[in-house]
């Protein structure tokens, strides 16, 4: 499958989160051999730490050494927060592709600054804007619903 198809799957997961009343973020971790792990915001007994990216990394790392993910690409619908980016660094992922920026909580620019300063020795390529409008629209639907109230 191509990157657009992977992001389409992440968007489908984000739509599941939206239907469940959660912030619509979906994530998919893909290895070159086709193995994948999926996650979305929320779920049974969700807490504010249950981000889509964390669910995917937790599942992928179960019983594996972090070096196993060096060739994996993480597709996520929205720019990851600092917590999730830190987990990606520690999991040693191979790359990140995200849909739309998150101006309030997104942490990519800070991570890139830390890399320039020589911190966090594990680096990976980052691409943005894949299916950006679709991802942004899901967020708009969610927050418009929140503003309207129950």
């Amino acid at each position: 499958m191509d990157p657009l198809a992977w992001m389409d799957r992440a968007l489908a997961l984000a739509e599941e989160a939206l239907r469940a009343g959660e912030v619509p973020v979906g994530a998919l971790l893909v290895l070159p051999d086709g193995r994948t792990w999926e996650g979305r915001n929320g779920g049974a007994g969700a807490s504010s730490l249950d981000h889509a990216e964390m669910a995917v990394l937790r599942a992928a790392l179960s019983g594996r050494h972090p070096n196993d993910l060096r060739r994996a690409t993480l597709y996520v619908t929205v720019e990851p927060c600092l917590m999730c980016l830190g987990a990606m660094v520690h999991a040693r992922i191979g790359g990140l592709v995200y849909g739309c920026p998150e101006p309030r909580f997104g942490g990519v620019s800070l991570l890139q600054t830390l890399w320039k300063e020589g911190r966090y020795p594990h680096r990976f390529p980052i691409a943005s804007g894949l299916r950006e409008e679709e991802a942004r629209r899901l967020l708009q639907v969610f927050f418009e619903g929140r503003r309207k109230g129950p």
Side-chain angles (χ1 to χ4, degrees), residues 55-94:
V56 165
L57 291 171
R58 193 176 298 111
L61 287 170
S62 178
R64 290 176 180 75
H65 188 278
N67 286 342
D68 292 347
L69 301 183
R70 286 186 184 270
R71 295 179 45 219
T73 301
L74 180 63
Y75 293 86
V76 63
T77 56
V78 179
E79 178 182 1
C81 71
L82 290 172
M83 173 184 72
C84 293
L85 286 164
M88 289 174 214
V89 169
H90 287 286
R92 293 174 170 68
I93 67 165

Side-chain angles (χ1 to χ4, degrees), residues 95-115:
L96 169 65
V97 178
Y98 67 90
C100 68
E102 211 307 338
R104 292 186 65 200
F105 297 108
V108 167
S109 63
L110 180 57
L111 177 64
Q112 291 170 330
T113 298
L114 293 171
W115 283 342

